[in-house]
Amino acid sequence: MPAYCDVALPVPLDLVFTYRIPPGIEPVLGARVLVPFRQQRMAGVVVELHDRAPAPDSKVKAKDIIEVLDSVPVFDEQRLKLARWIASYYIAPIGEVVRSMLPLQAEFARHVSYRIAMDGELALHNASATGSPGRSRRTAEEQMIEFRVLDLLAQRSAASEDAIGEASLRRATKASRELLAGMVRKHWIERLDESGTRDATRTRKVARLLRLPEAHEKINENQQRLIDALAEAAGAGILEAQGEEPQAKTSGAAPLEVLRELDVPASTLQTLVKRGIVGIEEGPMDFRMSSLRPREHAGLKLTDAQTDALQVINSGVAEREFAACLLHGVTGSGKTAVYLSAMQAVLAVGRSAILLVPEIGLTPAVAADLHSIFGGEVAILHSGLSDNERAEQWHRIHIGSARIVVGTRSAVFSPVADLALIIVDEEHDGSYKQEETPRYHARDVAVMRAKMANATVVLGSATPSLESYANAQSGKYKLIELRERIADRLMPEVKIVDMRQEFQETGSEQVLSRALLEAIGERLTRREQVMVLLNRRGYAPVVLCRACGHKLECANCAISLTMHKKLHKMECHYCGFVAPVPKQCVKCGSEYVQFLGTGSEKLEELLRAHFPEARIARMDRDTVRGRGAVEAMLHRLDLEEIDILVGTQMIAKGHDFHGVTLVGVVGADYALGLPDFRAAERTFQLLTQVAGRAGRGDVRGEVLFQSYFPDHYAVQFAAKHDFASFYEKESRYRSWMHYPPHASLANVLVRSDRLDDALKWSGMIGRWFEAQRKEGVRVMGPAPAPIVRLKNDYRYHFVLKSASREKLNQLLRGMIAHANEQKIPRTNVVVDVDALWLM
């Protein structure tokens, strides 16, 4: 056994930490270990075993590993290699990369406690004499809290009891973490970290029928109801065995929460337990995949075009060599059936596949499809699961119980064995980009992982990203096209409503055009379903004083607060800050406060006024916040319990409901006004995707785009379902301006809650960039970020462009090294490689 090991810890530092391996402990490469780090314990992953002792003149002495947490690796060699690539490519600390790849936080419990130190006892003694715990510049209130902390800890010490847990201590004394940390620095109290592993297995209590009552036993009505329910759970077999030693037959079990629905007293169950008829035991909790009905894929009978696409994918899998395919299929062309068939072929030969979807809202529907075909071979991973559920699903994958994985971006790291296929559905979607460190793009990580595993990766979309389509045009990816909808269904007819003309003819600004209202009325008469999209939450996005012109903004961000009428509050959609709805201007006191603009909540209200008899529902992040809310809403739409579904972009992605024959888009061109070089691409993608929700059944669909810029090429090409022409025109503009896919792009953000620091640091980094003048890399900035203040941080940024990824990466690494030398905190300099948003 080597004497030392390097451990990746989840801290924002671009290095690994060396620990000594004490006798009796045998860590494994790729396994987790518990180690001391500064004043606490942390779980990290062993990334190297070696005999290199720290240099004799080093100020740092290697500490000992405390405990080995895994007997087998949680990272195989391939996934460790992938972690190193992500850290290198995205300029991210390796420890934070490893943390993102391993959803096992539920298995590590942090437990911090405190006890009084000798200096603290002395300070407490002095406080008794002077009325104060000691000389301090702190406020009188903080001094009193310190006194309470010392007094409580002294009482615990006098009683020879253990230290007090942090949560209990803070609750009893109202002490903040910062105050406790200050007392530790003064040596008044000692901080004890006893963090370690915990059992994350999900269990629940179940009642099990042990035997049927004998003929002479008296059973009342409530007891019989419980026995019948448990017997039903066991099946008819136990009822037929009354005279044949029923105790030996398979017994029935039901969770206690199900039995509570029988509305019988709790004492009834306890009586049956005492009499030995029913037993109570701990059992594993079932994992609920989805309540949605699986979509029909015609028994996976494929069209000729689908068969050709499947053959290309299967041939790549069979060769066991890396292959990348872009599956460009129009909406409704049956891409999902191709995915399912390809995964069936992979599973048939005992190999594994991963399917990525962009949103949690899509996962239940896809999971229902997969579970209906693959049964228990399916695992699901996304952020909507609890920590315990994620750990449970991860372990199923790790031990090989599940060979098909479906999930959002982090599912790309699933520890599947013998990976054969990765599918990235709706590959263009921005949800695949992580918005915090490590800022990886799951689509690109999927390509790299497939390359390392000699697997096939399929990127599917009706509106591919320009980067992926450019790779297909250049031959890096195989281009597979599905040009027609399945079952000879026609693409929906798209009409563009010119809202400028609507204003001229009606004399006022309208949210809903006459054409859209008329079309909705016709669909309701024919008992068909309608979707109306407005990609803006809330009731009104701007609150303005007409007297002084003051706009109500967030206290933490340089952004307008949005009015939410039903909840009667103003909310910031970036940091969550909430304020009451103003009755008068907060600046001048005027009563002339105006609520401007329209959000999805107001749109729902307008539709209810126009169509009072219709069953209308709204789907946005305000109405589907609770767990299972998205699934419940989609389930209602699937059962045709909703006539009109209003929503944001959540309703535009991947949903397949045959009853929807009309789609209306309000504010089709809002995104075109954003300061974003991808504005046209995002507009085209959103319009095309939402248009694809119409006419997926037997009735041809109709789509209405309401636009103030009806002649813009993004709107025009979306109306014609013409991706190729849009790509050609947009790509030409990008090449002129040296934007992706014709150059690599990175965004460097300098942030601080102090404006002086943000300005100083961005100036220091700007001067360093100017001194480098690296050929082939263009640096723009520093400049205020589009949202200059966000979540209490002042923000300045640099935009870097280069035709060479290698040169760009070298310059960024040099910048990080310079920032470290200048003592700029690592967390205050954010590097976003291949940035999607320059905010």
Side-chain angles (χ1 to χ4, degrees), residues 793-811:
D793 277 342
Y794 295 93
R795 310 156 78 247
Y796 291 82
H797 73 149
F798 302 82
V799 177
L800 286 72
K801 301 178 187 177
S802 178
S804 168
R805 288 187 179 274
E806 184 178 354
K807 290 181 179 179
L808 182 64
N809 191 283
Q810 288 176 354
L811 187 62

Side-chain angles (χ1 to χ4, degrees), residues 278-294:
V278 175
I280 305 294
E281 58 190 54
E282 284 286 314
M285 189 176 292
D286 294 332
F287 183 81
R288 180 172 168 270
M289 276 288 179
S290 174
S291 64
L292 293 181
R293 293 181 299 183

Side-chain angles (χ1 to χ4, degrees), residues 419-615:
L419 177 63
L421 178 65
I422 305 178
I423 297 170
V424 185
D425 191 25
E426 309 292 359
E427 65 85 26
H428 67 276
D429 200 284
S431 300
Y432 286 122
K433 188 76 161 76
Q434 175 91 342
E435 294 182 1
E436 52 194 36
T437 305
R439 295 171 182 259
Y440 67 90
H441 198 301
R443 176 197 63 211
D444 299 333
V445 171
V447 173
M448 181 55 63
R449 183 171 185 189
K451 189 173 184 179
M452 292 177 177
N454 286 324
T456 296
V457 60
V458 178
L459 313 180
S461 178
T463 55
S465 64
L466 264 68
E467 291 87 342
S468 294
Y469 200 76
N471 283 332
Q473 295 291 87
S474 67
K476 289 183 179 179
Y477 299 165
K478 296 177 184 178
L479 180 61
I480 307 171
E481 294 190 287
L482 299 175
R483 300 176 183 272
E484 305 291 337
R485 283 186 158 186
I486 59 172
D488 297 323
R489 294 182 183 127
L490 297 174
M491 294 296 290
E493 180 185 2
V494 181
K495 299 176 183 177
I496 302 175
V497 180
D498 188 341
M499 296 304 288
R500 300 170 302 182
Q501 184 177 346
E502 188 79 8
F503 176 79
Q504 292 174 355
E505 294 178 359
T506 62
S508 61
E509 186 176 349
Q510 302 295 322
V511 175
L512 295 164
S513 64
R514 293 166 296 173
L516 181 55
L517 289 172
E518 182 181 349
I520 292 174
E522 291 176 1
R523 294 314 187 283
L524 294 177
T525 301
R526 302 205 297 255
R527 297 186 179 279
E528 296 169 2
Q529 292 175 294
V530 179
M531 283 185 174
V532 184
L533 178 140
L534 172 56
N535 200 24
R536 182 177 285 171
R537 284 170 54 201
Y539 190 86
V542 177
V543 178
L544 185 72
C545 175
R546 289 185 292 172
C548 70
H550 176 72
K551 184 172 64 174
L552 190 61
E553 288 192 343
C554 173
N556 307 317
C557 312
I559 201 77
S560 297
L561 290 175
T562 299
M563 177 193 176
H564 291 257
K565 185 177 180 180
K566 186 176 181 179
L567 300 174
H568 200 68
K569 68 178 183 179
M570 307 296 298
E571 183 181 353
C572 174
H573 290 167
Y574 287 89
C575 74
F577 174 80
V578 173
V581 177
K583 295 182 179 179
Q584 58 187 31
C585 177
V586 297
K587 185 176 181 181
C588 71
S590 168
E591 296 180 356
Y592 297 104
V593 176
Q594 190 170 11
F595 300 92
L596 304 176
T598 301
S600 55
E601 185 183 8
K602 184 176 181 180
L603 178 60
E604 179 191 14
E605 181 180 276
L606 292 171
L607 285 168
R608 290 188 185 279
H610 282 286
F611 306 103
E613 302 301 321
R615 297 169 297 176

Side-chain angles (χ1 to χ4, degrees), residues 215-278:
H216 61 82
E217 293 182 280
K218 292 183 179 180
I219 300 295
N220 64 33
E221 183 179 346
N222 285 332
Q223 292 169 350
Q224 190 62 51
R225 289 177 66 187
L226 282 176
I227 292 171
D228 289 345
L230 293 174
E232 185 178 353
I238 192 168
L239 298 178
E240 298 170 359
Q242 293 192 30
E244 305 174 10
E245 297 181 324
Q247 299 91 334
K249 299 297 179 181
T250 302
S251 57
L256 295 190
E257 57 266 27
V258 174
L259 294 181
R260 292 189 190 104
E261 296 175 2
L262 298 177
D263 195 26
V264 299
S267 59
T268 302
L269 179 61
Q270 296 304 318
T271 300
L272 293 176
V273 170
K274 290 177 181 178
R275 293 167 65 176
I277 296 174
V278 175

Side-chain angles (χ1 to χ4, degrees), residues 34 105-112 193-199:
L34 188 64
Q105 288 81 5
E107 297 182 351
F108 183 78
R110 181 156 295 286
H111 180 71
V112 174
D193 191 333
E194 298 167 337
S195 303
T197 57
R198 64 177 288 267
D199 184 4

